[in-house]
């Protein structure tokens, strides 16, 4: 495929930039029309690439794009999953270029969605185009591209159940993850689940003068900070009752195999500009981000946060909290356990409310499958080194649902790198990874069908 990429790369980038320019922020009501526009553009691109059919389907939320090319019912069918929605761009002032005006700098594409996930799903469209144009498509292929992954895919599960027969396949192929490095490629064999909640702590019925009432009324921000601090003990252990009941401990042999993945602690700390790591006692950094659950505050606010000073004792304080879960932990059960625990530790003088948001369960896939072996052979050929199995610390909640609904495993061939800073300002995607991803995907199909 190298020659095909070289011949068409200017067109590829032009077409990718068309969808990168669309601000398809799924969490923003103001961008609802952009979601529809982006879905329509992707359907158009699938048809141009050689799909027999491609259409935009409405859901209870944002639309889904489904396209397919059926060669023969006797041949295996691969379902490509991707998402076209993106994260908000805040803080906008930290971007070096406009987030929805893609720019190439130092061998990388800079834009919101460059990696997560428009750039990665686009690789599949172009690998498919190559196979069709070169007469090398020896399998059936289907595409399901959703617009709600960044908000937990609340509508896709129900839509997939309604269209289960249409989505029937032998494997779900996904590029929405990172690899260890461009020198040491890896294939994710599992991902963590997620339970996401918002908490609200209310004290007095209005904001108060901090001089007149300070020291006499429980400050909701102080109460919230104290409650949050108690959620993790000095050993990095989450204190929510029942939180670890279904966590499966890895054997010594499994942990030894996991430890074979290369990791440079000094480089890790240097890249983040930190002088020490922190986490659950008894586990390595890689284990903490892949095989162990965690709890983090993603945002906290209340009172006066504007420029200058305002001496106010706030009425309400808020925080958003995410819990990354490992397989066997159920996101709904964990959200319930968290709510029960958080309400139980509320001090007198404040009222507490827990609002569940989105969530999803984690999953594992076998490294012995034909799909995994085909992916390993393909990536090994492109990168010149056999990829190592790994587990992703992030979450794609819908994949566990699709695994259950369709009865097939997902395969995660991700080509992002940590340097790409997804979800942050200046998201990027190396052109070299972009092109190698296309090559690897095309070779995967070759080996998978054999």
């Amino acid at each position: 495929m190298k020659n095909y990429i070289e011949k068409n790369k200017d067109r590829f980038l032009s077409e990718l930039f068309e969808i990168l320019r669309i601000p398809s922020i799924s969490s923003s009501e103001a961008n609802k029309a952009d979601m529809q526009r982006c879905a329509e553009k992707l359907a158009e691109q699938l048809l141009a690439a050689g799909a027999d059919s491609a259409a935009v389907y409405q859901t209870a939320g944002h639309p889904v794009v489904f396209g397919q090319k059926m060669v023969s019912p006797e041949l295996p069918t691969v379902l490509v999953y991707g998402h076209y929605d993106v994260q908000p761009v805040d803080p906008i002032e930290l971007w070096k270029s406009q987030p929805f005006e893609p720019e190439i700098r130092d061998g990388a594409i800079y834009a919101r969605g460059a990696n997560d996930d428009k750039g990665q799903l686009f690789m599949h469209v172009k690998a498919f185009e190559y196979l069709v144009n070169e007469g090398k498509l020896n399998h059936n292929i289907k595409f399901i591209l959703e617009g709600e992954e960044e908000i937990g895919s609340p509508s896709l599960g129900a839509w997939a159940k309604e269209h289960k027969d249409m989505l029937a396949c032998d494997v779900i192929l996904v590029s929405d993850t990172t690899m260890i490095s461009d020198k040491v490629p890896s294939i994710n064999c599992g991902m963590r689940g997620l339970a996401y909640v918002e908490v609200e702590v209310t004290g007095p019925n209005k904001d108060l003068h901090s001089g007149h009432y300070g020291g006499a009324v429980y400050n909701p921000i102080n109460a919230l900070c104290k409650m949050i601090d108690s959620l993790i003990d000095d050993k990095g252990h989450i204190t929510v009752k029942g939180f670890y009941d279904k966590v499966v401990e890895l054997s010594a042999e499994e942990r030894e195999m996991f430890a074979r993945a290369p990791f440079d602690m000094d480089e890790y700390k240097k890249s983040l500009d930190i002088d020490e790591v922190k986490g659950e006692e008894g586990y390595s950094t890689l284990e903490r981000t892949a095989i162990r659950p965690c709890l983090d505050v993603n945002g906290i606010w209340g009172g006066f946060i504007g420029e200058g000073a305002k001496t106010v004792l706030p009425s309400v304080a808020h925080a958003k909290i995410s819990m990354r879960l490992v397989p066997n932990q159920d996101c709904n059960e964990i959200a319930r356990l968290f709510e029960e625990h958080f309400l139980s530790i509320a001090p007198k003088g404040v009222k507490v409310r827990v609002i569940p948001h989105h969530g999803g369960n984690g999953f594992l896939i076998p490294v012995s499958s034909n799909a995994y072996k085909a992916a390993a052979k393909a990536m090994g050929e492109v990168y010149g080194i056999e990829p190592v199995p790994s587990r992703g610390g992030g979450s794609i909640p819908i994949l566990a649902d699709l695994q259950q609904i369709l009865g097939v495993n997902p395969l995660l061939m991700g080509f992002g790198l940590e340097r790409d800073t997804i979800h942050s300002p200046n998201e990027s995607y190396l052109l070299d990874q972009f092109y190698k991803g296309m090559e690897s995907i095309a070779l995967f199909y070759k080996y998978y069908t054999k």
Side-chain angles (χ1 to χ4, degrees):
M1 188 176 180
K2 282 183 181 291
N3 291 337
Y4 192 82
I5 292 172
E6 186 61 32
K7 181 180 177 181
N8 294 281
K9 64 181 181 182
D10 289 342
R11 175 173 61 86
F12 288 175
L13 290 173
S14 176
E15 291 173 359
L16 172 59
F17 285 12
E18 285 184 42
I19 59 173
L20 288 176
R21 289 191 179 100
I22 302 174
S24 48
I25 304 171
S26 53
S27 61
S28 170
E29 185 66 25
N31 294 98
K32 190 171 183 179
D34 296 313
M35 301 301 296
Q36 179 71 26
R37 187 158 59 96
C38 194
E40 291 172 355
K41 175 56 69 174
L42 284 168
E44 177 185 310
Q45 290 185 348
L46 285 175
L47 289 170
D52 295 332
S53 61
V56 176
Y57 291 77
Q58 300 305 317
T59 73
H62 296 305
V64 167
V65 180
F66 177 78
Q68 64 178 352
K69 187 170 186 66
M70 302 298 291
V71 179
S72 168
E74 306 300 319
L75 293 174
T77 299
V78 177
L79 175 65
V80 174
Y81 165 87
H83 68 91
Y84 63 88
D85 65 321
V86 299
Q87 285 277 332
V89 299
D90 306 82
I92 185 68
E93 66 273 10
L94 296 183
W95 285 80
K96 294 180 180 178
S97 55
Q98 291 299 311
F100 295 110
E101 278 301 328
E103 185 176 293
I104 295 177
R105 301 195 306 270
D106 302 321
I109 305 165
Y110 284 83
R112 175 58 89 222
N115 169 331
D116 183 22
D117 180 44
K118 291 178 180 179
Q120 293 212 62
L121 74 82
F122 191 82
M123 298 183 308
H124 288 272
V125 178
K126 293 300 131 182
F128 166 63
E129 176 191 300
Y130 161 75
L131 295 174
V132 172
N133 288 349
E134 298 296 311
K136 295 182 178 182
L137 188 66
N138 298 316
H139 63 284
N140 306 311
I141 186 166
K142 299 177 180 179
F143 293 86
I144 180 171
L145 310 176
E146 69 151 323
E148 297 184 334
E149 194 276 339
E150 298 293 4
I151 55 173
S153 305
S155 307
L156 188 57
W159 186 89
K161 287 179 182 177
E162 292 176 12
H163 299 84
K164 179 180 177 180
D165 293 340
M166 186 172 76
L167 298 174
C169 59
D170 297 289
V171 66
I172 305 167
L173 183 59
V174 185
S175 293
D176 188 23
T177 52
T178 59
M179 57 171 59
I180 293 173
S181 80
D182 55 349
K183 303 294 188 296
V184 184
S186 57
I187 300 174
N188 280 355
C189 299
M191 299 197 76
R192 293 194 287 186
L194 173 69
Y196 194 100
V197 301
E198 183 175 329
V199 297
E200 179 185 274
V201 177
T202 303
N205 59 6
K206 56 182 174 294
D207 287 356
L208 304 175
H209 189 293
S210 65
H212 293 171
Y213 292 91
V217 176
Y218 209 146
N219 185 321
I221 296 179
N222 294 353
L224 175 59
C225 290
K226 185 175 182 179
M227 293 169 71
I228 287 174
D229 184 57
S230 74
L231 293 174
I232 301 175
D233 66 20
D234 292 339
K235 295 184 178 181
H237 196 268
I238 297 164
T239 59
V240 174
K241 185 177 180 180
F243 189 88
Y244 292 96
D245 286 357
K246 295 181 180 178
V247 174
V248 177
E249 294 286 343
L250 268 66
S251 67
E253 291 77 17
E254 288 174 315
R255 292 183 70 179
E256 183 180 350
M257 182 179 73
F258 196 82
R260 291 175 185 167
F263 179 74
D264 187 322
M265 178 60 81
D266 290 337
E267 180 59 33
Y268 183 80
K269 291 189 290 189
K270 182 181 178 181
S271 70
L272 300 174
D273 195 20
I274 58 175
D275 57 14
E276 192 53 82
V277 295
K278 182 76 171 174
E280 188 179 2
E281 190 175 286
Y283 296 92
S284 70
T285 296
L286 286 181
E287 288 176 328
R288 290 168 180 167
T289 59
I291 67 171
R292 299 297 294 171
C294 65
L295 182 151
D296 284 289
V297 178
N298 302 135
I300 185 167
W301 69 99
F304 178 70
I305 57 174
E307 185 178 354
K310 181 182 180 184
T311 52
V312 62
L313 192 157
S315 171
V316 187
H318 308 261
K320 293 182 186 289
I321 297 173
S322 65
M323 292 160 280
R324 298 288 175 171
L325 314 176
V326 294
N328 288 3
Q329 286 184 297
D330 179 82
C331 63
N332 295 317
E333 181 182 20
I334 293 298
R336 177 181 59 80
L337 291 174
F338 176 88
E339 181 175 9
E340 291 173 357
H341 177 81
F342 207 70
L343 292 176
S344 75
I345 63 173
K348 290 184 178 179
V350 298
K351 297 181 286 293
V352 173
R353 191 162 68 107
V354 177
I355 306 104
H357 282 282
H358 61 277
N361 296 326
F363 63 88
L364 290 173
I365 59 173
V367 297
S368 58
S369 70
N370 289 334
Y372 180 89
K373 291 176 181 176
K377 187 172 183 180
M379 292 176 72
E381 188 171 320
V382 172
Y383 285 87
I385 181 173
E386 183 180 354
V388 299
S390 66
R391 288 202 203 177
S395 306
I396 308 178
I398 191 60
L399 292 184
D401 293 339
L402 291 177
Q403 185 182 38
Q404 184 177 43
I405 293 167
L406 302 179
V408 297
N409 286 325
L411 174 70
L412 286 80
M413 288 180 71
F415 298 90
L417 301 172
E418 286 300 324
R419 66 162 300 284
D420 297 338
T421 62
I422 62 172
H423 291 205
S424 297
N426 304 304
E427 178 181 347
S428 64
Y429 193 28
L430 284 175
L431 287 170
D432 192 50
Q433 289 294 99
F434 180 57
Y435 299 138
K436 283 182 176 177
M438 291 184 216
E439 291 180 58
S440 300
I441 292 164
L443 282 174
F444 163 77
Y445 290 130
K446 174 184 174 181
Y447 296 128
Y448 179 65
T449 53
K450 285 185 177 181

